[in-house]
Amino acid sequence: MLEASAPGSVFLFGEHAVVYGHPAIVVAIDEKIHVTVAPNKKGVVRVTSVFGSQKIPLGRLRGKPKYVLAAIRKIFELTGKPIGLNIKIKSKLPPASGLGTSSAVTVATLKAASKLLGLSLSKNELVFLAREVEKEIQGRASLAGVSAATLGGILEIRGDRYRELPYRDFDVVIGYSGIPSRTARMIQKVWKLRENNRVIVDTIFEAIGELAEAGAIYLRKGEWLKLGMLMNINHALLGAMRVVHPRVEKMVKVSRDAGAYGAKLTGAGGGGCMIALIKDKKPLKELRRLGFRAFCTKPWGRS
Ligand code: MEV
């Protein structure tokens, strides 16, 4: 049996725009998804998670859970020898919540299954293989979630390149709207908006890219107030693209009113989560008092 884990992630800047090649800053968080893989002799892949247990015959590795099965198919393609597997997934993160859980489960599955089958993959190969899996499921995918899940730390993404930024210790509160949302649907929504308003949406993307560039400088210097202000602007631009759910909007306002440096949607939107950069626990307490599911976390993994 082999076990592997990978962290979830949040965007300080740049979700959606990053899919079109603009810079983004993504942070691996101190919450992981754990995957164990063990061989079986039954000619099936059995996947067990909070959603229950599914048994899929080796000759028909399609359907749900999509990311796990697509990752296993990739490994079988590379090894050329499909075998029966029992896969167990453990996670405390809410699924489909914008916290990079699809990337984390994909990376952890690829890591565990490749090791079990004697396939040696470098971190870079893992990043690009995981991105292939995401593209297969979502149509489009950036390197953000998969590079954070593979390398940890704080990363700058630019098209097909990722770069580790120096580690900084800061606290964020994550608030969950309680509304799951499919990344593929939101990517499609933004794609359509761009098709109908190319110049305007590209201008928004450009501005988001500029925020990521400036954000990287403030992050390096630990200028949290300025960083927070840029996050607020990024959030407004995501709002302009209509991906911010009213419950996320509410959590953002609550966090800012409780003294957060800045707060924004994180991930694809349409529900999901917000992150607030905080100096104390007041935003966390206030979100919880109002009945939101919220927790504090930090960047995970030194780079
Ligand atoms: C989803 O978590 C973030 C998006 O930018 C998609 C991606 O980066 O692949 C919407």
Side-chain angles (χ1 to χ4, degrees):
M1 185 180 85
L2 260 152
E3 180 175 347
S5 63
S9 57
V10 289
F11 278 85
L12 287 185
F13 300 100
E15 47 275 271
H16 287 295
V18 71
V19 176
Y20 297 83
H22 298 274
I25 299 180
V26 65
V27 180
I29 56 173
D30 203 3
E31 301 287 335
K32 290 187 183 164
I33 292 189
H34 299 266
V35 174
T36 57
V37 179
N40 70 43
K41 293 206 165 74
K42 298 190 180 131
V44 296
V45 172
R46 180 187 283 281
V47 185
T48 310
S49 69
V50 280
F51 298 114
S53 191
Q54 265 107 308
K55 204 169 69 177
I56 307 104
L58 277 182
R60 206 161 39 81
L61 287 181
R62 302 264 160 198
K64 288 185 183 170
K66 287 185 187 167
Y67 291 91
V68 174
L69 294 183
I72 293 298
R73 282 202 306 273
K74 281 271 180 271
I75 296 295
F76 288 166
E77 268 165 41
L78 288 171
T79 60
K81 43 175 189 204
I83 62 161
L85 294 172
N86 293 335
I87 303 174
K88 284 197 182 126
I89 297 156
K90 276 198 197 139
S91 165
K92 285 192 196 136
L93 290 170
S97 61
L99 296 178
T101 49
S102 312
S103 301
V105 82
T106 302
V107 167
T109 305
L110 288 172
K111 273 206 288 195
S114 59
K115 269 193 206 147
L116 185 80
L117 296 180
L119 185 70
S120 152
L121 293 172
S122 69
K123 285 195 172 171
N124 191 53
E125 284 168 334
L126 201 52
V127 168
F128 281 91
L129 200 57
R131 206 261 292 261
E132 283 310 306
V133 170
E134 290 204 331
K135 272 192 177 170
E136 211 177 293
I137 310 293
Q138 296 167 193
R140 286 157 213 273
S142 76
L143 289 178
V146 291
S147 54
T150 306
L151 300 155
I154 304 170
L155 299 146
E156 188 183 68
I157 314 299
R158 250 170 227 270
D160 272 348
R161 282 173 297 145
Y162 56 88
R163 182 165 75 99
E164 295 178 58
L165 297 180
Y167 183 86
R168 297 292 317 209
D169 191 12
F170 55 86
D171 295 294
V172 293
V173 58
I174 294 178
Y176 179 44
S177 63
I179 300 154
S181 165
R182 282 199 310 119
T183 303
R185 216 187 105 239
M186 299 315 292
I187 289 179
Q188 181 69 11
K189 182 174 168 165
V190 171
W191 181 81
K192 262 198 198 141
L193 186 75
R194 181 171 179 264
E195 281 301 290
N196 297 327
N197 310 274
R198 185 65 71 105
V199 176
I200 293 167
V201 173
D202 279 349
T203 308
I204 293 176
F205 284 164
E206 285 284 335
I208 291 176
E210 295 288 337
L211 291 169
E213 306 255 14
I217 298 167
Y218 292 142
L219 182 65
R220 203 179 286 265
K221 293 185 182 163
E223 293 200 28
W224 308 123
L225 205 58
K226 288 185 178 162
L227 191 68
M229 182 194 64
L230 298 188
M231 288 167 68
N232 290 341
I233 299 173
N234 193 159
H235 178 74
L237 294 173
L238 289 165
M241 292 192 292
R242 315 229 21 160
V243 294
V244 181
H245 190 278
R247 272 178 75 79
V248 171
E249 199 61 71
K250 170 85 182 162
M251 290 190 291
V252 163
K253 180 168 186 322
V254 168
S255 305
R256 289 179 191 159
D257 289 350
Y261 293 119
K264 64 180 275 294
L265 166 75
T266 184
C273 286
M274 68 107 222
I275 46 159
L277 186 64
I278 53 169
K279 53 177 170 248
D280 57 32
K281 294 268 165 73
K282 273 191 211 137
L284 175 72
K285 285 185 192 145
E286 201 48 23
L287 286 167
R288 286 189 174 161
R289 192 183 67 76
L290 293 169
F292 289 107
R293 188 167 154 194
F295 61 96
C296 276
T297 188
K298 279 179 178 296
W300 176 82
R302 289 189 168 264
S303 35

